[in-house]
């Protein structure tokens, strides 16, 4: 017998929507694509926040997410899952860029949401999804944006999801 399993992590269109949702909830006009990839991982797997090394001023935030961890939602190798997400995230971002919902700054990895291009129905869907995950989105697009992306205290290093040792500092 064949059993099909679906997980939104491995769906290009769901990935595009999540990336859109993260940009929609951010006050930043531009976001580095690598940061979006990390935030998307935690949007999908918020229980994994417990494994992240939070800055001292955010330790109370970390303790709020410990209750999500259970033996049923543990990922044995987060870095492998993150790597497997890469192609879906890239396809999702390319979808946003090709449909004119997002733009890319030259050849850089900096992307922007084009809010004026969003259809009304999509805005309603984003607002609904935001209401369902308000607390998590507030953390990911608020305090997390104050954590530098690069360096040994950066978001890449703190999450362990990306190689960071050869990043520009």
């Amino acid at each position: 017998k064949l059993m099909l399993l679906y997980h939104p992590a491995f769906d290009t269109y769901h990935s595009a929507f999540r990336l859109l949702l993260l940009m929609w909830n951010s006050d930043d006009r531009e976001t580095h694509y690598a940061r979006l990839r990390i935030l998307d991982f935690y949007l999908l797997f918020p229980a994994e926040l417990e494994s992240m090394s939070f800055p001292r001023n955010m330790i109370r935030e970390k303790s709020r997410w410990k209750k999500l961890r259970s033996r049923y939602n543990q990922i044995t190798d987060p870095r492998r899952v993150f790597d497997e997400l890469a192609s879906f995230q890239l396809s999702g971002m390319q979808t946003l860029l090709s449909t004119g919902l997002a733009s890319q700054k030259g050849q850089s990895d900096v992307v922007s949401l084009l809010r004026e291009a969003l259809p009304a129905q999509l805005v309603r869907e984003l607002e609904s999804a935001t209401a369902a995950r308000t607390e998590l989105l507030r953390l990911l697009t608020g305090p997390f944006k104050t954590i530098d992306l690069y360096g040994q205290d950066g978001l890449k290093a703190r999450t362990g999801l990306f190689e960071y040792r050869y990043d520009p500092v």
Side-chain angles (χ1 to χ4, degrees), residues 79-136:
R79 181 105 183 232
R80 184 183 57 78
V81 172
F82 182 72
D83 289 343
E84 288 175 3
L85 280 174
S87 63
F88 296 95
Q89 291 170 323
L90 181 60
S91 293
M93 182 52 70
Q94 288 173 337
T95 298
L96 296 177
L97 294 170
S98 68
T99 57
L101 299 177
S103 67
Q104 186 174 9
K105 192 176 200 176
Q107 294 297 317
S108 72
D109 288 335
V110 176
V111 293
S112 302
L113 173 64
L114 300 174
R115 290 179 181 269
E116 64 280 354
L118 299 176
Q121 177 62 34
L122 184 53
V123 169
R124 286 191 291 275
E125 293 295 327
L126 289 167
E127 289 170 346
S128 176
T130 298
R133 299 177 187 95
T134 303
E135 194 174 344
L136 178 58

Side-chain angles (χ1 to χ4, degrees), residues 8-151:
F10 307 107
D11 179 329
T12 296
Y13 295 108
H14 199 277
S15 180
F17 184 77
R18 292 188 315 270
L19 295 170
L20 201 58
L21 183 63
L22 289 163
M23 290 188 289
W24 171 260
N25 280 279
S26 177
D27 292 337
D28 294 337
R29 190 159 156 63
E30 300 176 335
T31 308
H32 196 282
Y33 176 65
R35 181 179 298 275
L36 280 175
R37 286 195 56 219
I38 293 169
L39 300 181
D40 180 49
F41 176 81
Y42 289 111
L43 186 59
L44 281 165
F45 307 107
E48 291 302 310
L49 285 166
E50 182 187 9
S51 302
M52 183 184 151
S53 170
F54 277 62
R56 286 183 199 251
N57 64 339
M58 293 176 58
I59 294 298
R60 285 184 36 217
E61 286 290 339
K62 181 176 182 172
S63 64
R64 297 171 70 187
W65 300 97
K66 283 186 177 187
K67 64 183 179 258
L68 293 178
R69 172 86 60 197
S70 79
R71 66 185 179 125
Y72 300 107
N73 68 1
Q74 288 184 1
I75 297 174
T76 55
D77 190 350
R79 181 105 183 232
R80 184 183 57 78
V81 172
F82 182 72
D83 289 343
E84 288 175 3
L85 280 174
S87 63
F88 296 95
Q89 291 170 323
L90 181 60
S91 293
M93 182 52 70
Q94 288 173 337
T95 298
L96 296 177
L97 294 170
S98 68
T99 57
L101 299 177
S103 67
Q104 186 174 9
K105 192 176 200 176
Q107 294 297 317
S108 72
D109 288 335
V110 176
V111 293
S112 302
L113 173 64
L114 300 174
R115 290 179 181 269
E116 64 280 354
L118 299 176
Q121 177 62 34
L122 184 53
V123 169
R124 286 191 291 275
E125 293 295 327
L126 289 167
E127 289 170 346
S128 176
T130 298
R133 299 177 187 95
T134 303
E135 194 174 344
L136 178 58
L137 285 165
R138 199 173 288 144
L139 171 70
L140 296 176
T141 61
F144 272 32
K145 73 179 174 185
T146 63
I147 303 172
D148 189 27
L149 186 59
Y150 303 112

Side-chain angles (χ1 to χ4, degrees), residues 152-167:
Q152 68 185 39
D153 290 328
L155 196 57
K156 286 180 166 186
R158 288 181 178 283
T159 62
L161 297 173
F162 262 114
E163 177 57 53
Y164 67 92
R165 290 175 289 180
Y166 306 107
D167 285 344

